[in-house]
Amino acid sequence: MRQRGRHRRRRRGRALRAALTGAALGLTAAATLISASQATVAEDPGALKPLAASARSEELRLTEQRVPQPWLDRLSAVMGEPVGVGTVLDTADRPLREAADCTDDERQALPVAPAATRAYCWDEGETRGWQAGAVTTSGDADDDGRWGSRRVILSAWSREDQTPGAGLARVSFVDADDPENLSYTSALLTVPVEGGNDYRGLDSPVTGMVWYQDKLLVTTGDRDRNALYVYDVDRVQRATTDTDAVGRVPGGWAAHGCRYVLPAVAAYRLPDVPGAARPEVLSLDRGTFPSSLVAGEWVAADEGRPTRLWRYALSTEPERAGLPAADRAGHVDAREAYETEAVEVGGVLSYRPTGADRSRWYLGRAATGTEGRGTLWRQDATGSRTTTCGADRSHQCWSALPGSLSYWAETGEVWSQTGRVLFALPLAAVEKALD
């Protein structure tokens, strides 16, 4: 029986590799047909330029606001004991499709160079009306790449249409122990209100997300003065009714159809100064000491100004596990910050190779026109490089809608998401394509 199962997995693995290889070849061929106007390369963003210390303290500072512990205790008392990630994964029964079962249109969203080595597609019905957001993994959460004994991927989704539930955000917990059989279930992101007797939806898109230790840090949109919210993955609450409502309802607790609820435990407010930078994209850098939260803002191409990239140190204090390092006044200051000429950045990653004297920053940028693909740039203090593809050596080789970038050190892979497609590829392949 084990032998037949192993042969079946090998056949499926060959089919998956064939599908991804075929998609990459097809996309490369398509890239050669891009018109001259579509293939126009955006101006080289050049080297990163350090920001002055005064700008870091004034424009990048966040101020911490913790949700009162009695509020969280009260919510647990009225909703029932919180559950952990393992319990959530045990109920993950919604499958993701492997690349071989994705549609041609879905595979068209994958990068051309470097090509994805793993790809999965979300169900159209499950994601209708929801916009794909950030990705993080248990590779961020813990050094060994697991949460407990489980490998986990977290995928954020936001509802930005005009249907019931507009403005809500959820996180899908993906059981990634078996790479050939990914399944998931979802939790609604919420904020406690009324002293912990109720909760509301986050009411914000989630374009950046990092899972560090037992905390999940997520970005917020410009409707909210808070730039970040923090969730405790050991405080997942069960919803008890399957309705479109959110919060306390007659007979129980609702989460817009999700099985679970994640209540925020802290928020971080932007400074009330001109030019305050809102972090739109996030990733984790375990190569610094202490580990750091890497952030970048979204700047539209027509704004005519540089994009800021920066990092916050994460706390080493046991009582502040998973939270940014803050002073006694609750201020969180950037430890390092740069400007880049790259605009419309949809994903950022910072990584320092062994033996290197500086970190490399990787930026996923949106397509430069109404059609075409995005670009992937690597920048540092000395310059920048990007990938090329097709007969015309186009730089538009990355996913069309660049998503967040998350590095899983245990496997050496970078994970991202574009549209309904979740994908991974080795960081070594990214480096090879950029050299």
Side-chain angles (χ1 to χ4, degrees):
M1 182 68 72
R2 287 194 300 270
Q3 187 73 9
R4 288 199 299 271
R6 185 159 55 248
H7 288 166
R8 182 163 56 249
R9 287 192 295 272
R10 286 173 178 167
R11 288 195 298 271
R12 292 175 66 185
R14 286 194 294 269
L16 173 61
R17 288 190 293 273
L20 288 171
T21 301
L25 290 173
L27 291 172
T28 302
T32 67
L33 300 178
I34 297 175
S35 69
S37 60
Q38 289 175 317
T40 299
V41 177
E43 185 178 355
D44 187 333
L48 296 176
K49 300 176 182 178
L51 268 179
S54 58
R56 294 204 305 268
S57 62
E58 293 176 5
E59 300 169 5
L60 305 180
R61 170 177 285 176
L62 299 176
T63 301
E64 182 177 273
Q65 298 173 305
R66 303 285 287 271
V67 174
Q69 188 63 41
W71 289 33
L72 298 172
D73 293 342
R74 189 170 296 119
L75 193 60
S76 295
V78 294
M79 292 190 71
E81 278 298 309
V83 300
V85 174
T87 298
V88 175
L89 294 176
D90 287 342
T91 62
D93 56 0
R94 302 180 186 273
L96 276 80
R97 291 170 287 136
E98 293 186 39
D101 299 319
C102 295
T103 67
D104 289 343
D105 285 345
E106 288 168 336
R107 286 196 292 267
Q108 286 286 329
L110 291 168
V112 175
T117 51
R118 288 208 267 167
Y120 306 90
C121 293
W122 301 86
D123 180 78
E124 182 178 3
E126 275 288 308
T127 56
R128 186 175 295 115
W130 293 86
Q131 180 178 345
V135 172
T136 184
T137 74
S138 53
D140 277 351
D142 197 84
D143 286 331
D144 70 359
R146 295 173 173 83
W147 187 251
S149 63
R150 314 289 285 269
R151 287 187 172 91
V152 194
I153 301 168
L154 300 185
S155 170
W157 294 81
S158 306
R159 198 169 191 100
E160 290 297 293
D161 59 12
Q162 300 304 311
T163 61
L168 295 179
R170 71 187 187 194
V171 171
S172 294
F173 287 70
V174 181
D175 183 345
D177 276 343
D178 182 353
E180 296 178 358
N181 292 285
L182 267 58
S183 58
Y184 70 96
T185 191
S186 300
L188 191 72
L189 296 180
T190 66
V191 179
V193 295
E194 297 179 12
N197 287 304
D198 205 348
Y199 56 81
R200 63 170 176 82
L202 178 62
D203 191 26
S204 178
V206 176
T207 53
M209 179 169 65
V210 162
W211 181 6
Y212 181 64
Q213 298 181 3
D214 62 349
K215 301 299 191 301
L216 186 65
L217 302 97
V218 307
T219 60
T220 56
D222 57 14
R223 291 194 300 264
D224 199 323
R225 174 73 183 281
N226 293 318
L228 292 173
Y229 280 84
V230 179
Y231 297 85
D232 187 332
V233 297
D234 289 328
R235 280 189 170 272
V236 182
Q237 302 282 169
R238 295 181 189 269
T240 58
T241 61
D242 184 14
T243 71
D244 286 339
V246 174
R248 185 191 287 269
V249 295
W253 299 89
H256 195 67
C258 294
R259 286 176 173 168
Y260 299 99
V261 172
L262 261 173
V265 298
Y268 293 80
R269 178 155 292 191
L270 288 168
D272 188 15
V273 298
R278 177 178 292 275
E280 293 277 351
V281 289
L282 295 177
S283 65
L284 180 71
D285 189 346
R286 284 186 169 274
T288 60
F289 182 81
S291 297
S292 55
L293 189 66
V294 176
E297 63 180 341
W298 172 273
V299 175
D302 59 3
E303 286 190 46
R305 67 177 180 87
T307 297
R308 287 166 290 187
L309 308 172
W310 65 98
R311 68 172 82 235
Y312 299 114
L314 289 157
S315 181
T316 58
E317 301 173 24
E319 64 274 15
R320 292 184 54 81
L323 297 175
D327 63 20
R328 292 183 179 180
H331 295 150
V332 178
D333 289 315
R335 301 296 177 89
E336 181 183 1
Y338 300 95
E339 285 184 345
T340 172
E341 294 301 319
V343 294
E344 299 186 353
V345 174
V348 62
L349 187 69
S350 174
Y351 175 75
R352 178 178 294 186
T354 302
D357 60 354
R358 63 173 64 91
S359 296
R360 296 172 173 179
W361 293 67
Y362 304 83
L363 310 178
R365 293 178 53 189
T368 55
T370 57
E371 298 182 16
R373 312 184 62 77
T375 55
L376 181 68
W377 288 92
R378 184 183 69 200
Q379 284 185 274
D380 59 25
T382 64
S384 60
R385 295 186 67 88
T386 188
T387 57
T388 59
C389 55
D392 60 358
R393 309 298 290 170
S394 169
H395 290 191
Q396 293 178 279
C397 310
W398 195 239
S399 54
L401 297 172
S404 68
L405 303 171
S406 181
Y407 178 58
W408 198 328
E410 181 209 11
T411 64
E413 293 173 306
V414 175
W415 283 86
S416 189
Q417 185 165 257
T418 179
R420 289 200 305 271
V421 185
L422 176 70
F423 67 90
L425 67 167
L427 180 59
V430 174
E431 286 295 299
K432 183 177 180 180
L434 288 166
D435 288 338

